[in-house]
Amino acid sequence: MAPLIVTALCVSLSFFAQVQSAPHAKQPRQSAGCSVDFFDGIVPAGATVESVQVVAAGGSFAESGNLGYPAMASGLPSLCAAIINNSTAGYRFGMFLPDVWNSKLLVVGSYSFLGGINWLDMGAGVHYGMASLSTDTGHNSGAGDLTWPTFEQLKINWAYQALEGSITLGKSLIQAYYDNQAIAYSYFSGCSTGGRQGLKQIQRDPAMFDGALIGAPAYDTKNLMPFISKLATLNLPEEADSTINDASLFTRLQAEVLAQCDGLDGVKDNIVSSPSACRDAFDITKVRCDVSADKTGCWSQAQIETARQLYSDYITDSGEFVYKGLDYSSEADWGTFLFPADPGSSSNVRRNFDAQYERTFMDYGSDWQITSFNDTVVDDARIRDRQSVQASADQYDLGNFRKKGKIILYAGLADATVPVQHTNLYYNRTVEAMGNVDDFFRYFQIPGMGHCWGTPDNVKAPWMIGGAGQAAQRPPYNSGYSVPLGNNDTRHDALLALMDWVENGNAVSQIIASEFNFTDTTLQNIVIYRQRPLCMYPRTATWDGNSNPNYSSSWYCP
Ligand SMILES: *[C@@H]1O[C@H](CO)[C@@H](O)[C@H](O)[C@H]1NC(C)=O
Ligand SMILES: *[C@@H]1O[C@H](CO)[C@@H](O)[C@H](O)[C@H]1NC(C)=O
Ligand SMILES: *[C@@H]1O[C@H](CO)[C@@H](O)[C@H](O)[C@H]1NC(C)=O
Ligand SMILES: *[C@@H]1O[C@H](CO)[C@@H](O)[C@H](O)[C@H]1NC(C)=O
Ligand SMILES: *[C@@H]1O[C@H](CO)[C@@H](O)[C@H](O)[C@H]1NC(C)=O
Ligand SMILES: *[C@@H]1O[C@H](CO)[C@@H](O)[C@H](O)[C@H]1NC(C)=O
Ligand SMILES: *[C@@H]1O[C@H](CO)[C@@H](O)[C@H](O)[C@H]1NC(C)=O
Ligand SMILES: [Ca+2]
């Protein structure tokens, strides 16, 4: 679920994209292994070696024809890039194997229903010295495209099988490649669908990872996808008085939420850090004015009623809970599911995505229209998911993972794609199932952050924590990793903090998030704008009351 990956892709497309190779990497033993011949000799029957490529230090890698992840990973350390094909199940995976290896593996997740190997996030991972791995999830497809699930194996590959099979084979190939040196630690980092993948894998096989960094997980597939359809129906028909028909209305509502709710958390800082206080206090009628005079700045009463429904949980007519509602401060991104930003575009979310899960994953057929949506679709989605595809990562007792691994979960409070309250629900249900989970599972909310990364310009909340896909959003973009400007340490980077917790027992009780500001119009240079700790849920960062709130040292976790 990350239409916002588009940001990253646009940045990279501008300097697209050929594979660079070099005659020899620095360490002879590994570069000797970096060949099709070597991998041909170690892959088992049922797998084929598609390509093996040496990438020199500072080089780049991209894969032409990759629709989901065309972005180039740049500024790489010297490494071997390999693509392996599981020819029986029909999925592929890529590996970056650095010449100088720290004996760790980082598996990176995917986004939305995109198909392709996620080279960009693998590139960020390999900068830490880890080998990195990503699966194409068994198909090749771009943003908003949900037409590909034409038969069952394709769905199951996306649900979990491609990732699980890729890690299983990948681990053995990596160890063989490094002269049978064992992988010391295996990590996972993913956001959105990637978050779902990580949780699903932990639920299926608690031995797979030692640690997982899970962002805004789209874990509840069977309820999330009907919820997205439901959101679309609330804003239909197009010509109704109640339809929010101009994207600028979302900006207007978000600005009003900021104006009324910023201070409710105790600090006027352009960040709504307590959407729940906002829920109790917000007076939405303040956005009502004369629509005939100002169609893009004024909300009608009928549109306000639509917004109220969007903020509400989806509960069926028979009273069954389906999904938590959109939250206060997330309005700027409501267009993702509600507004046909580009009616002609095939990646248009509202007109191509809202009904597509039903058409393909649920086999309703290409003629099925969103206007046919009703509550029974939810029951049907649940049955189909349970009986066949099993994409949902909806097991809350994480069982044996507790003995072995650690999880850091994070989510933006301004997330309109995977509403944050549903992430809260995952955490709450886990606590319900397992009791206090602080010993292995900690959750950090990020006030002002949207889905996986980013923050509105009128908010500029600290959000960068080394989460999946974040580094590519800021200079040095596709060659970035961790948190820029020397913040690549365990205090500011959740992945480094996770490793420190797993390997050294240093439990993570806060992570300092960063926001940067561009210093010139080329968007290549940044300075720190502000930093602030994120606290372990349900704690929230508290200002000391007199020091400069732009500095993390002025805040503490109670
Ligand atoms: C994967 O292997 C199968 C069987 O050899 C082959 O048909 C398929 O084209 C391969 N896929 C790719 C992307 O190379
Ligand atoms: C191919 O994938 C299937 C399904 O995950 C798995 O059972 C099989 O072992 C895989 N083959 C190889 C060679 O990894
Ligand atoms: C609800 O939707 C399903 C799927 O479109 C359809 O088969 C069914 O007839 C609908 N039920 C009602 C009562 O409209
Ligand atoms: C999660 O639990 C907290 C603490 O009990 C509660 O305040 C919050 O409303 C719960 N959230 C959800 C979505 O269940
Ligand atoms: C942080 O980055 C610096 C400069 O690139 C590097 O020397 C250092 O090893 C990095 N630290 C960590 C923990 O990755
Ligand atoms: C942040 O960048 C913008 C645009 O470059 C600039 O107008 C603004 O002054 C900067 N703010 C700070 C605090 O540097
Ligand atoms: C905090 O930073 C912002 C942006 O740089 C600036 O406008 C503001 O004045 C700073 N606040 C203080 C108290 O220094
Ligand atoms: Ca505030």
Side-chain angles (χ1 to χ4, degrees), residues 460 516-521 523 527-529:
K460 284 188 82 72
F516 299 88
N517 203 38
F518 293 103
T519 57
D520 57 36
T521 51
L523 306 186
V527 290
I528 287 178
Y529 184 81

Side-chain angles (χ1 to χ4, degrees), residues 46 48 50 85-88 90-92 136:
T48 55
E50 193 181 306
N85 177 6
N86 179 316
S87 37
T88 47
Y91 57 78
R92 302 151 67 240
D136 70 354

Side-chain angles (χ1 to χ4, degrees), residues 261-262 265 269 271-276 413 445 447-448 532 540-541 555:
C261 299
D262 179 2
D265 53 38
D269 56 359
I271 306 172
V272 175
S273 294
S274 180
S276 60
L413 289 184
Q445 294 182 330
R532 185 177 300 184
T540 53
W555 296 76

Side-chain angles (χ1 to χ4, degrees), residues 38 74 78 103 106 123 129 137 158 167 181 228 240-241 268 275 335 339 428 457 502 515 557:
F38 176 82
S74 308
S78 58
S103 300
L106 180 70
T137 71
W158 178 83
I167 299 170
Q181 195 183 325
I228 289 170
D241 289 346
K268 280 279 255 175
F339 194 72
N428 283 6
D457 286 345
V502 167
E515 165 65 334
C557 292

